[in-house]
Structures are given as structure tokens and as C-alpha cells.
Amino acid sequence: MGRHFGDLAKIRHVITYSISPFEQRAFPNYFSKGIPNVWRRFKSSVFKVAPPMILMYLTYTWGNHVHEQGKRKNPADYEKDQ
Amino acid sequence: SGVWNFGSLLGLCLITQILTGVFLGMDYTSDISTGFSSVTHIWRDVNYGWLIRNLHGNGASFFIICIYMDIGRGLYYGSYLYKETWNIGVVLLLLVMMTAFVGYVVPWGQMSFWGGTVITNLLSGVPYMGDTLVQWIWGGFSVDNGTLTRFFGFHFLLAFVIGGGTVVHLLFLHETGSNNPGGVNSDGDKISFHPYFSYKDLLGFVIMLLGLTSLGVFSPNLVGDPENFTPGNPLVTPPHIQPEWYFLFGYGILRSIPNKVGGVLGLLFSILVLMVVPILHTSKQRGLTFRPVTQFLFWTLVGDMIILTWIGGMPVEHPYIIIGQIGSVLYFGLFLVLVPLGGWVEN
């Protein structure tokens, strides 16, 4: 069932190089490059994610505010009371 | 990436629910005179019964979180183009929702009884034989003992039907192999399951189990309804009948349509619309990784579902009615019109 190693893809004219895990650092530049990279990834997605979330929040607060206002008494209804 | 963990997490959720459910079933009695008190007995007297019930109830929430995330991954990265896997996934979603619904009736609290009454009554919208159908499901003329006994049986049975569906889901997935964030063919880049995915999945298991036990131990009633601490009473109707959080978006759509049959169809199609998504794929690219317009629409869908979830839990009053109606139109509009249009524009 399914596909097997050795029968997946034929790739020609591609040379790959790799270095032994024992000849390199495990987490190179984790903070010095990692933190700027997080900022780059944030900038590239914030204007696609944040606007719908902000709109959602504004709808939520506006909706609850209008609902609370609707439960209040309207002074105009009681103007003719003695 | 990490969002590919939710498939294996769903397997873990299913096993957790079956294990905890089997142990709960050893002490639960599915009769209306003893059902609620048997749950109390499990909680107070059975060794670690409180923990098993906690894990089972909150496990259902985590199950559905994982399903929603798995579907979200499928929508974002175009995994739905594996059509057989996707459509069986939609069937699994429906099965899980049915299992969760009948399972919620089992403890026979107020919300169990009245939620069960509201949702089963929706079937009376079926033309000509609606009322007969509802009474057939109920096993009587209202939600009563007949309903509880069979709902417990369905709950137990459906768990194993889901297991079978899962096997078929994986069968089709393993014909093609998984998608990836680039949406490209990965036949030349395959790596062995062990140790790469065994350890990746294990990390996911640890994180999810940590979350589940934290919720169960520190805040077990966070997503529950206090009405379910009161035994079910057909003579006393709770002021606000609402399902568990994971059904609220559908409940919001149902109540937005001022027609019984229309509302039921809206609820049904809010799930079935997923089966139409692969047919409406217009982009030359598989996923949204390099498609900013449709990415914005995806997050609009996420925000819309959160709004509909909120509305589903609110009373049917101004301005919640109009917000729910706009949200419902936006929900279907995104799937049927806006996202296909976005793909076409991006081409």
C-alpha cells in the first residue's frame, strides 16, 4: 500500500553536499540571526493576520456596547410622568 | 511544519477518548432515574473517577480543536486537493460532531436534556415525515428514557465508526503521501518515519497532553455550562439553551436564518461547504504560502468563525442578530465567492 523508498522519484544532474553533524555547531547563530528572522517573518504576515483580528475585536466591543445601551432606560419615555 | 502534527494528535485524542470513555462506561448507567447520579458517583466515589471524567469532557474540546486545526491546515495549504482524503475527513468531522452531540446528552444535566431537545427537534423540518422522524429518533414523544439509552449506545458505537473512518482516511492519504508548506511535489525529499516523525509526533503528544491535563486539573469547568450541574428537568427550561463552544458557530448560523428549514439547511451546509472547496480551487498554486490576497481572506474566515462562535452564545437580541446574519453571509461568501475570486486575481 502506498509508495516505497527506491520507487519515489528519479532525479538526475543534481549534486548535493553535506557536512557531518560532528563537524558543525548544533544551533549556529540561534539568537544573532534568529531574532531578526522572527521580526522579518512577523513583518511579512502582520498586515494579513492583524486587520481581520482587529475588525473582529472592534465588532465584539461595539456589539456588546450597543447591547448594553439598549438595556438602558430612555429618559424621553418618562418626560410626561408626574 | 508543526501544523502537520494535528493528524497524529487526532489519533491520540481518539485513543484517549475511547480509553477514558470505556472506564466511565463501567460505572455509568444510562437510565434517566440514575444517569445524573451515576456521574456524581463516578466523580466522588470511583478511584480517580473525577480525573477520568475531566479528561473525557475536556478531551472532547481538544479533539475538536485538533480537528479544526487539521481542517485549517488543509484549507491554507491546499491539502484538500487530495480529494478522497479530504472528503473522508469531512465525513469524520460529521461523525465526531454527532458523537460529541449524543455524548453531551449522556450526563443528563439540564443542558444535556434541553440541548438534545432543541437539536433533535430540528429534524422536524424534514418535509412530510419530519415529525415521525423525530419521534423515531427519540424513541417516544419527547426526549425521555428511550432517548438516553440509545444515545449512550450511539455514543459508544460511533467512537469505533470514527476509528474505522480514520483507517480509510489514512489509507487514501498514504496513497499520495502528505502535502507540505510549499505545496510542491516532495517525492525526492522523503525521510524515514523514525526517528524524524516519531519524535516530532511525540513532542506534539507531550504538548497536547500537557495542555489537556493542565485544563483538567487547573480549570476543568472553563468551557463547560453551569446548567449541567443541575439534573435534567423537562418542566424547567433554562433561560439560555446553547451547545458546547465547538458548535456555537453553527448555532449562530442556524439562528441567523428566520426560517426553521432554512436554518437547518444553513447549519448542514456550513459543514458540507467543505466538500465543495476542492471543486472551487482556481489558483495555479496549491497553497496560500505565496498568495497574500487569499491569505488575508483566510484570516478573515478565522475571525468570522470566532465572531459566529461568540454570537452563537449570545441571546437573540439587537445587535447580535444583524452581526450573526452578516457573519453567516460572509462565511458562505468566503468559501463560495471570495476565495475562488482571490485565486483567479492572483493568477
Side-chain angles (χ1 to χ4, degrees):
Chain A
M1 187 192 97
R3 305 180 61 201
H4 304 281
F5 281 118
D7 190 33
L8 293 170
K10 285 184 174 46
I11 297 175
R12 297 170 65 208
H13 308 305
V14 172
I15 302 170
T16 55
Y17 298 91
S18 60
I19 194 165
S20 161
F22 295 102
E23 299 294 326
Q24 58 182 302
R25 291 183 290 155
F27 294 99
N29 306 309
Y30 191 77
F31 293 107
S32 60
K33 286 188 179 167
I35 291 171
N37 195 39
V38 169
W39 174 241
R40 175 193 69 80
R41 286 163 58 217
F42 174 79
K43 276 193 309 179
S44 71
S45 57
V46 66
F47 296 115
K48 293 171 254 183
V49 181
M53 299 300 131
I54 292 168
L55 189 65
M56 170 188 71
Y57 176 74
L58 290 174
T59 306
Y60 171 75
T61 48
W62 172 81
N64 283 333
H65 175 73
V66 169
H67 188 248
E68 285 298 311
Q69 290 289 323
K71 290 196 287 190
R72 300 191 72 179
K73 289 180 184 177
N74 182 4
D77 293 341
Y78 302 94
E79 268 174 2
K80 293 188 180 156
D81 281 4
Q82 289 175 355
Chain B
S1 68
V3 290
W4 262 259
N5 275 65
F6 289 102
S8 60
L9 284 175
L10 282 165
L12 177 68
C13 282
L14 182 65
I15 291 167
T16 308
Q17 291 302 95
I18 287 175
L19 275 175
T20 52
V22 162
F23 279 100
L24 288 173
M26 292 177 187
D27 289 279
Y28 172 78
T29 52
S30 62
D31 188 277
I32 56 172
S33 54
T34 57
F36 186 87
S37 52
S38 71
V39 175
T40 310
H41 158 69
I42 289 168
W43 192 271
R44 291 165 179 248
D45 307 321
V46 173
N47 296 323
Y48 297 103
W50 60 272
L51 182 62
I52 298 171
R53 198 229 172 163
N54 250 349
L55 293 176
H56 195 76
N58 288 309
S61 287
F62 271 83
F63 203 135
I64 304 223
I65 289 171
C66 288
I67 274 205
Y68 286 167
M69 296 294 278
D70 208 45
I71 294 169
R73 182 277 319 278
L75 287 171
Y76 193 94
Y77 292 106
S79 306
Y80 50 75
L81 292 181
Y82 293 147
K83 292 189 176 71
E84 297 88 356
T85 310
W86 177 258
N87 286 328
I88 294 174
V90 176
V91 170
L92 282 170
L93 172 64
L94 288 166
L95 284 172
V96 168
M97 291 172 96
M98 278 167 57
T99 310
F101 167 65
V102 294
Y104 195 61
V105 177
V106 164
W108 208 246
Q110 271 289 66
M111 208 46 78
S112 306
F113 177 88
W114 289 100
T117 301
V118 167
I119 300 302
T120 48
N121 262 304
L122 294 176
L123 288 169
S124 63
V126 171
Y128 187 66
M129 56 183 189
D131 289 332
T132 312
L133 186 65
V134 172
Q135 287 171 16
W136 182 63
I137 299 287
W138 281 342
F141 299 111
S142 70
V143 172
D144 205 342
N145 201 59
T147 322
L148 178 58
T149 49
R150 64 190 55 192
F151 273 19
F152 178 57
F154 290 152
H155 187 64
F156 215 114
L157 174 69
L158 280 171
F160 298 103
V161 175
I162 290 169
T166 303
V167 170
V168 182
H169 186 62
L170 289 175
L171 206 94
F172 280 106
L173 177 65
H174 290 172
E175 285 295 305
T176 55
S178 292
N179 190 16
N180 59 76
V184 294
N185 184 292
S186 61
D187 285 350
D189 295 305
K190 288 283 185 276
I191 53 177
S192 58
F193 184 82
H194 180 71
Y196 299 104
F197 296 107
S198 50
Y199 279 105
K200 185 186 179 189
D201 286 351
L202 193 63
L203 176 65
F205 291 176
V206 165
I207 293 170
M208 200 200 77
L209 288 173
L210 198 67
L212 175 60
T213 44
S214 298
L215 188 68
V217 165
F218 292 121
S219 190
N221 301 312
L222 185 71
V223 296
D225 195 316
E227 281 284 1
N228 240 24
F229 279 93
T230 309
N233 185 349
L235 300 176
V236 176
T237 310
H240 300 294
I241 300 171
Q242 64 186 53
E244 286 286 87
W245 69 269
Y246 37 79
F247 289 150
L248 287 175
F249 85 95
Y251 202 53
I253 292 173
L254 171 86
R255 298 189 308 180
S256 292
I257 301 169
N259 174 284
K260 185 156 128 188
V261 176
V264 174
L265 289 175
L267 175 64
L268 191 62
F269 283 112
S270 69
I271 306 298
L272 293 182
V273 73
L274 290 172
M275 293 183 124
V276 155
V277 168
I279 302 168
L280 297 176
H281 183 90
T282 53
S283 175
K284 290 177 186 174
Q285 297 179 63
R286 180 166 192 171
L288 304 190
T289 311
F290 309 107
R291 295 166 55 192
V293 172
T294 317
Q295 277 186 27
F296 176 83
L297 294 176
F298 174 85
W299 292 108
T300 306
L301 176 68
V302 171
D304 187 42
M305 286 200 66
I306 296 171
I307 289 284
L308 285 170
T309 301
W310 162 57
I311 292 295
M314 291 288 115
V316 185
E317 294 162 7
H318 178 73
Y320 303 133
I321 298 172
I322 188 68
I323 295 173
Q325 289 169 335
I326 293 170
S328 303
V329 169
L330 184 61
Y331 178 88
F332 288 104
L334 279 163
F335 277 112
L336 299 174
V337 177
L338 294 174
V339 168
L341 206 61
W344 179 75
V345 161
E346 282 158 345
N347 283 344

